[in-house]
Amino acid sequence: MSTQQAIDASPSGDASVRDVVNAHTPFRYDRLILWVALGALLANFGWIVANNENFEWPVVGRYFFDPTVMQGLYVSLGLTVVAMVLGIALGLVLAVARMSTDRLASTLSAWFIWFFRGTPLLVQLIFWYNLSTLFPVLSISIPFGPTLASWDTNSVITPMTAAIAGLALNEAAYMAEIIRGGLLSVDRGQSETAEAFGMTRARALWRVIIPQAMRSIVPPTGNQLISMIKATSLVSVIAMADLLYSVQSIYNRTFEIIPMLMVAVIWYLLITSILNVGQGYIERYYSRGDRRTGKDGPAEKPTNTTMAEEATH
Amino acid sequence: MSAPDTREPLVRARNVHKAFESLEVLKGIDLDVMPGEVVVILGPSGSGKSTFLRCINHLEAIGRGSIMVGGEQIGYRMKDGRLVRLSANAIARQRRRIGMVFQQFNLYPHMTVLQNIIEAPVGVHGESRASAVENAKRLLARVGLSEKIDSYPRQLSGGQQQRVAIARALAIRPDLMLFDEPTSALDPELVGEVLNTMRDLARQGLTMIVVTHEIGFAREAADRVVFMDDGVIVEQGTPDAVLGNPQHPRTKAFLARFL
Ligand SMILES: Nc1ncnc2c1ncn2[C@@H]1O[C@H](COP(=O)(O)OP(=O)(O)O)[C@@H](O)[C@H]1O
Ligand SMILES: [Mg+2]
């Protein structure tokens, strides 16, 4: 009863007090305490790590820009970019094939995805690398008919091509499912409208469906990219000198294992941080039609849990 | 109707049947639409009105019968005396002069109003960007939304979105316009602005097939009213005849709800 009166109180008396422009947010002491406690904890941890002789920070500093490390970083980044670009392109083809009404295309695509998601990446890499023991000669021929062209497998499958093939084909299988999920998330009415306006299916995909699907494709693709950077460290088993391989080659000589691993860890973290920032920009770009004001609104926070499958590699 | 019309109909539907699985939705529709004619299709929900519209531009394939638009059979062609199915790209070509306006507007949300309007003219019809933009500005002026040219669809009201959708359909210079309940998703006070735009188009001689529940629009703007129920055309004629003096009991029952 009394609260009701307060709300209904005469406009002349309360109006300015009730005006929400005069409202203030109560100070949250509990949050402050948590922040301070967490800050102290982190500072303390940082202090301990920084002053722990066993980390040998001077060694970390000395090798951080070492040419061998730089070369390894270059290989890791290069492999990531090439495998990711090929993986996304092939993944798009697989996703479209999987969704097409053509039974042949959708079946082939489903098998590809089943196989490359269903076997460990490490095993796939080793298979590609050892392809020559399985098939000493690669050839193009008519099935059960004459051979048109052939190559010695060892000259085609270098560690580099084995690494690219292994990473890209595996990535394509995961990207296919991410892209398919994105395409399915777009309202049916959109492709129907594009169709009604006489667009071909390819054009409708490119101009209407994919730009809208990007909103749900980008966050899990960010995950994939970060996984990929770390997955490139697997290629050290097939003698590719990536970042991890190069720091290993140094500590095998100097036995400074922990500081050299710290060099790699810091590089990996630096790269992923840059990627996170980039992802934020891309997400804002693809949500442009969503802003009611047309001005920069608060960007949506990327959700790193969008992916159904985690730890893909 | 007046003196017998000797021109070819723009749309000629013959014995059109359509079923979804075992559900028969269209059970033999015959309909001719003359160039410049405005046909309003009335009928209870679920009677197959949307399905019939969607068959006209082959968004749905029909199960039996034939539909001709502008002298071409939609989805098929004759070859050596036999009827063969057209490829997806050939069907896309047949749709180029048929505009469509949807109940849910279906604007492309990632494109501005201008981009929405010029997408098909530039991308499908090969019009130059400059001339498409000029035409888009003219069309936006016509639907009274010139100042919204750079807005995104979500920044517009429902009525404004539908008027943009109409401008978008007009931009392909259609020979035929299909409207599927263009005002049904709108707040009552926004219905008028869209109907006004459509009335203008009707006056200017555009051939239109309009599915709507707006009896007032049918009375003023239609040359012919078609009443559909349960997958068949029950009754058709001038607005005065069908709306003022319905013959069939199902038509009477349907119209009674609007009095
Ligand atoms: N894609 C579809 N699959 C199955 N049934 C459908 C589909 N589209 C429409 N229908 C059914 O066809 C009937 C007619 O639908 P519709 O043409 O939308 O009617 P109206 O537009 O007159 O309300 C309804 O019973 C509806 O459920
Ligand atoms: Mg309908």
Side-chain angles (χ1 to χ4, degrees):
Chain A
M1 201 61 221
S2 60
T3 45
Q4 193 58 42
Q5 265 168 3
I7 290 164
D8 291 339
S10 74
S12 57
D14 279 350
S16 70
V17 181
R18 288 259 167 227
D19 190 337
V20 294
V21 299
N22 298 322
H24 33 94
T25 312
F27 192 76
R28 304 267 319 255
Y29 290 98
D30 50 343
R31 303 302 293 172
L32 180 68
I33 291 166
L34 272 177
W35 273 110
V36 169
L38 193 64
L41 214 62
L42 279 177
N44 186 243
F45 182 70
W47 176 261
I48 290 169
V49 170
N51 287 286
N52 187 330
E53 305 261 298
N54 298 328
F55 280 100
E56 299 179 73
W57 294 110
V59 178
V60 173
R62 186 144 32 85
Y63 281 103
F64 199 69
F65 294 108
D66 186 274
T68 312
V69 173
M70 288 288 99
Q71 187 61 36
L73 180 67
Y74 184 69
V75 169
S76 284
L77 286 179
L79 263 184
T80 302
V81 170
V82 172
M84 208 61 204
V85 168
L86 290 177
I88 289 173
L90 183 55
L92 176 63
V93 173
L94 287 168
V96 172
R98 182 91 200 274
M99 291 170 72
S100 89
T101 48
D102 185 332
R103 279 285 291 280
L104 180 68
S106 69
T107 309
L108 283 180
S109 169
W111 280 356
F112 182 100
I113 294 167
W114 168 78
F115 182 80
F116 284 95
R117 283 201 312 180
T119 50
L121 176 57
L122 186 59
V123 177
Q124 287 174 29
L125 282 171
I126 294 172
F127 260 90
W128 283 111
Y129 188 52
N130 294 299
L131 200 62
S132 64
T133 56
L134 297 173
F135 306 100
V137 174
L138 295 180
S139 60
I140 297 176
S141 64
I142 294 162
F144 306 109
T147 300
L148 303 177
S150 68
W151 301 270
D152 178 15
T153 304
N154 271 326
S155 66
V156 179
I157 302 291
T158 61
M160 175 66 96
T161 48
I164 290 174
L167 292 172
L169 293 180
N170 185 264
E171 189 57 36
Y174 283 96
M175 284 309 302
E177 288 297 273
I178 290 172
I179 292 171
R180 190 168 70 97
L183 298 180
L184 286 174
S185 75
V186 179
D187 179 20
R188 271 283 297 140
Q190 290 288 310
S191 56
E192 217 158 63
T193 306
E195 232 182 291
F197 274 84
M199 286 191 207
T200 58
R201 236 185 99 60
R203 190 180 168 85
L205 258 182
W206 192 246
R207 294 286 303 169
V208 176
I209 308 302
I210 290 176
Q212 296 182 60
M214 286 305 269
R215 294 204 49 197
S216 45
I217 291 175
V218 170
T221 304
N223 271 358
Q224 289 300 106
L225 187 56
I226 287 168
S227 298
M228 174 65 88
I229 288 172
K230 293 175 298 179
T232 55
S233 65
L234 288 176
V235 303
S236 57
V237 302
I238 57 171
M240 271 290 281
D242 75 309
L243 179 57
L244 189 63
Y245 185 91
S246 62
V247 301
Q248 284 170 334
S249 74
I250 294 174
Y251 70 59
N252 283 339
R253 212 163 10 89
T254 65
F255 301 107
E256 291 159 325
I257 298 176
I258 296 297
M260 286 319 294
L261 285 179
M262 288 309 290
V263 168
V265 164
I266 294 170
W267 271 119
Y268 282 125
L269 282 177
L270 269 176
I271 296 164
T272 40
S273 312
I274 294 168
L275 290 177
N276 279 336
V277 174
Q279 185 181 337
Y281 279 107
I282 293 174
E283 280 174 24
R284 224 158 314 155
Y285 175 78
Y286 281 109
S287 61
R288 65 194 184 281
D290 259 8
R291 279 170 246 139
R292 283 212 142 248
T293 56
K295 291 267 188 294
D296 274 14
E300 232 171 85
K301 282 271 185 288
T303 49
N304 285 327
T305 50
T306 323
M307 275 269 297
E309 303 98 343
E310 51 178 12
T312 52
H313 296 294
Chain B
M1 293 186 85
S2 50
D5 203 331
T6 52
R7 293 170 306 166
E8 281 291 303
L10 182 64
V11 179
R12 165 172 292 205
R14 283 291 173 273
N15 192 30
V16 172
H17 286 254
K18 170 74 189 172
F20 293 106
E21 319 268 287
S22 61
L23 177 70
E24 269 196 87
V25 177
L26 300 180
K27 303 170 183 170
I29 302 276
D30 290 295
L31 186 72
D32 283 354
V33 179
M34 287 297 167
E37 198 178 12
V38 176
V39 173
V40 168
I41 302 180
L42 300 176
S45 168
S47 55
K49 307 181 298 294
S50 300
T51 305
F52 179 59
L53 271 197
R54 293 158 54 79
C55 288
I56 293 175
N57 63 0
H58 209 272
L59 286 179
E60 305 282 2
I62 61 179
R64 185 198 287 199
S66 68
I67 297 179
M68 311 277 291
V69 176
E72 275 187 52
Q73 181 163 2
I74 294 296
Y76 304 83
R77 76 193 161 92
M78 294 301 291
K79 190 185 175 199
D80 305 331
R82 297 196 319 157
L83 195 62
V84 288
R85 284 198 175 79
L86 287 174
S87 69
N89 285 356
I91 293 171
R93 259 195 303 283
Q94 288 187 326
R95 293 182 176 125
R96 292 169 26 154
R97 293 290 172 209
I98 306 177
M100 190 163 198
V101 175
F102 302 84
Q103 182 173 350
Q104 301 297 337
F105 329 137
N106 292 5
L107 293 175
Y108 309 128
H110 59 299
M111 296 185 189
T112 64
V113 164
L114 177 67
Q115 290 166 337
N116 262 280
I117 296 175
I118 67 173
E119 178 59 35
V122 173
V124 177
H125 296 251
E127 194 176 338
S128 80
R129 210 191 128 83
S131 109
V133 168
E134 200 176 313
N135 191 36
K137 285 180 176 161
R138 198 176 53 74
L139 291 169
L140 277 176
R142 188 156 151 197
V143 299
L145 288 172
S146 292
E147 77 283 13
K148 299 295 186 188
I149 189 161
D150 290 322
S151 302
Y152 284 98
R154 293 222 172 93
Q155 296 161 355
L156 304 179
S157 74
Q160 291 170 333
Q161 287 190 50
Q162 194 61 299
R163 284 187 283 154
V164 171
I166 291 172
R168 174 177 68 171
L170 291 174
I172 64 169
R173 301 187 165 84
D175 297 328
L176 170 68
M177 281 277 273
L178 308 173
F179 293 84
D180 190 2
E181 301 201 28
T183 57
S184 295
L186 297 177
D187 290 336
E189 78 269 23
L190 301 179
V191 168
E193 60 188 67
V194 172
L195 290 182
N196 280 337
T197 305
M198 290 169 56
R199 243 177 242 121
D200 280 347
L201 298 178
R203 264 197 294 278
Q204 283 155 23
L206 186 62
T207 314
M208 299 167 42
I209 304 179
V210 183
V211 172
T212 186
H213 292 297
E214 297 294 331
I215 302 291
F217 176 81
R219 189 172 285 120
E220 296 163 46
D223 296 311
R224 182 149 49 110
V225 173
V226 172
F227 178 71
M228 256 178 88
D229 192 12
D230 199 22
V232 295
I233 293 179
V234 172
E235 184 168 357
Q236 59 175 312
T238 61
D240 285 342
V242 176
L243 301 174
N245 184 21
Q247 299 301 308
H248 199 284
R250 280 194 275 179
T251 320
K252 286 179 187 161
F254 177 76
L255 291 172
R257 286 193 264 144
F258 293 91
L259 298 179

